[in-house]
Amino acid sequence: MLSLENAAFTLTFRPEHGAFDLHPRGWERPAFEGARINVRYRLGGQAFERLAERWPDATLTQETVYSPRHGRMETLAFAGVDEDGLSLCVHFALPAQHPLALWKIRLENEGSRPVLLDRITLLEAGEALNGGRLRLPGSGRADPAWYSHGWQSWNWSATYAADLPSRRTRLGLLEAPMYICDGTPQPSRPGHYSGDFFGALVDRGARRGLLAGFLAQQQHFGSLEAWLEDRLALRAWANGDGARIDPGTVVESDWFAVQAFDLDVPQPLDAYLDAAARENEVRPPSARDVPAGWCSWYYYYQAVTEAAVQQNLAVVAQMRQRLALDLVQIDDGFEAQVGDWFLFDPAFPRGVAPLAREIKNQGLVPGLWLAPFIVHPGSKLAAQHPEWLLRDARGRLVSSGFNWNAITSALDLTIPGALEYACAVVDHAAHDWGFPYLKLDFLYAGGLRGAYNDPCRSRAQVLRRGLEALRAAAGAETTLLGCGVPLGPALGLFEAMRIGADVAGSWQPRYLGTSLFFGAEPHMPALRNAIQNTLTRAPMHGRWWVNDPDCLLVRPDTRLTLAEVQSLATAIAMTGGSLLVSDDLPALPEERLRIVEVLLPALGQRPRVLDLFDRETPARLRLDLEGPTGVWSLLALFNWDDTPHTLELCAADVGLPDAAYRVRSFWDGRVLDLPAGAALDLGVIAPHGCALLALRPAQPGPQYLGSDMHFSQGTEVAEWQADSVSVRLALSLPAARQGYVVLWLPCAPRSATFEGAAVAWRRECPDVYAFPVHGQGVLQVW
Ligand code: 9PG
């Protein structure tokens, strides 16, 4: 028996059983007891399952090593060779500086015959699985739940309580290649769940949880399976995909990590997220890297034309003094066919390079959509290079899913010509057409199950190499947005990442004019599906990349209610990711344009998702802000029900200290008082609607409460000076933005000027006054 320790865990390894215990510091009991590791492979047509305890002549070494990414680590290595000459080594590592336990497995074929790797199980714990134990703290009020992370950008990610079934697509085989990672089980009964890359098992009674997941997916796609029934169980493995390990070659899993966390700390998953960022050498983005702009897709779809782009470009350019959008992104529809990227649709007779120049000439950034790994069966590419397309072992084309009215194919990226073609497309778009921003879509097609030209690569290795090649082709100077891409292998290669399903002009998914059969589909385009991951993947923003929550739609002629549009605007703005409008801008009425205007500039900050582990769709976001006017908390409270609901707010529910607060509600402009120790009645919130509130601890002197000019209700103020009788404040928004600021004043103002000219104020309610201003300038109140 051997033990390792760091500030977060004690790990005890029992070589005679090939099992280990993991005890999080501060927990009354180990989380895992008797957890197992094993490897499944085939050799000479026979299947083997090797458990660590049955490796003969195993050796144990314990040493301190220095990892360039994770610092000093106490490590334990257990190595042995089996009768077939396959050498196995389990490496445990407890980093001194990070509250994580890490382990990985290395296999070396020291025999004379090739080995086919099926899976490396890094964790198997729970009575139902192996006779070991898996326990969370606080048995008394046990209320277990599982945070299930989806495979690629569009996959529904959510926390399931033990009585909820997983959301699964019912579209079957047509869509399976898009949404199901081969190797990840798809359980549908409540209490049994799966996930990709990482997952978290939590106890909502004890408010503690365990994250289990891989730090990277450069070697294998990782799958997880969890059971929340009478006994908890968890299994996590790396999918070997049957890739061949030739004699003399080595395969190593990505690091597997466990983190114990408290559900109510500000960013519970940070230790894991930061470690994965380090492992993949992510360069952390700053708020300046958050794109704001226009995208052609969700109004024009494939019917986009050169003229449509030009008309919208003209509005973006002409409104810069109000809107500050800087990206104009052309989406799907410019190409002759998906796959034929060098041929153009007749609606783009000059191609796209002249548009890139026109966009640049306006001082804006041109962006272009491409789907370099997927191939339409009707493309010239499919006809000219059938040998580049991925096939199964029987030589049949592998489906990439049904889209563009066809069953699509994928490039086999282990064929040099196919990968070179995909890279040439990206290189050309960036450097010859002149697009410094590329949205690379349908990239999951580079990691499907198939009989690859190179049989020694796993799917994740094929995809990772493909993505690395695209990154190199684009050059470091190009901004890459990943879309439809498995998140793990993309880490460190993309500046921005689509983290959810497509948005649409309806709450539920619809197809052929009805939501009857498709209403419950979790991944299809729908407002509800887009917002889901905007909330549940919010913790990644700023750590792994800039999150792309998909576009904002504000036009009035969709099936969305105003409340739903405000919820979308709130979710996008509060989670800090990119902000792209996708309407026909010239046709937008003023009051809808205003919704876009007040979200800019984007804050770019990551909020707390207060109930990430408490509901399938979180309903409470909190962002703590600080500026010249002091400190305040921005809260978004959503009503995701299909019926109107009254909402109450008390400080404790949102983790704020019990005190008296002044509250301004952004979308309706109400100012309310939240007395200490009391609950505030916010009234009725419409179905799928929200309240966006700024809470400030009540003060005796003059106080800034917010404005109707920026959703943050405070970052618009660049300077603030106040004494008991006067206020001076300077605003820093685009000059052409009009609106009013709201102040709490201990006594009625006697006079007020903006930029030296007298202004007429309005009394909103006792002690609260609104002053008309515009985006830049100084307001003085006596
Ligand atoms: C262009 C679009 C837009 C959009 C992308 C992607 O069949 N499907 O499940 C499916 C999902 C998403 C999707 C298309 C089809 O949209 O997310 O922003 O660029 O491609 O074709």
Side-chain angles (χ1 to χ4, degrees), residues 39 41 43 48-51 54-57 79-88 108-111 115:
V39 177
Y41 61 91
L43 198 154
F48 296 89
E49 177 154 11
R50 292 295 188 211
L51 302 170
R54 285 209 260 107
W55 243 260
D57 307 322
V81 184
D82 78 2
E83 4 359 319
D84 303 313
L86 188 64
S87 113
L88 166 131
E108 182 168 358
N109 188 349
E110 294 177 2
V115 167

Side-chain angles (χ1 to χ4, degrees), residues 398-429:
V398 168
S399 163
S400 273
F402 185 83
N403 204 23
W404 304 288
N405 274 317
I407 296 196
T408 55
S409 296
L411 292 177
D412 175 347
L413 301 178
T414 68
I415 296 173
L419 183 58
E420 280 159 25
Y421 173 73
C423 290
V425 171
V426 166
D427 178 15
H428 208 80

Side-chain angles (χ1 to χ4, degrees), residues 294-295 299-300 312 552-555 581-585 588:
W294 175 82
C295 162
Y299 182 78
Y300 294 101
N312 281 277
L552 176 64
L553 306 183
V554 296
R555 58 183 181 270
V581 197
S582 196
D583 290 306
D584 179 27
L585 296 177
L588 277 189

Side-chain angles (χ1 to χ4, degrees), residues 28 30 113 139 146 160 180 195 255 265 285 368 388 406-407 515-516 559 563 636 671 744 759:
E28 58 271 34
R113 293 182 296 165
S139 53
W146 171 249
Y160 297 107
I180 298 174
W255 278 116
V265 300
L368 188 70
W388 286 356
I407 296 196
S515 62
L516 222 53
R559 307 180 77 91
V671 173
W744 186 91
V759 293

Side-chain angles (χ1 to χ4, degrees), residues 154 175 178-179 297-298 331-332 369 402-404 439 441-442 483 498 502 550:
W154 306 325
E175 301 301 357
M178 269 191 221
Y179 295 114
W297 182 249
Y298 298 94
D331 214 283
D332 186 3
W369 174 92
F402 185 83
N403 204 23
W404 304 288
K439 172 178 176 181
D441 203 352
F442 291 89
C483 188
R498 254 293 279 292
D502 283 22
D550 207 13

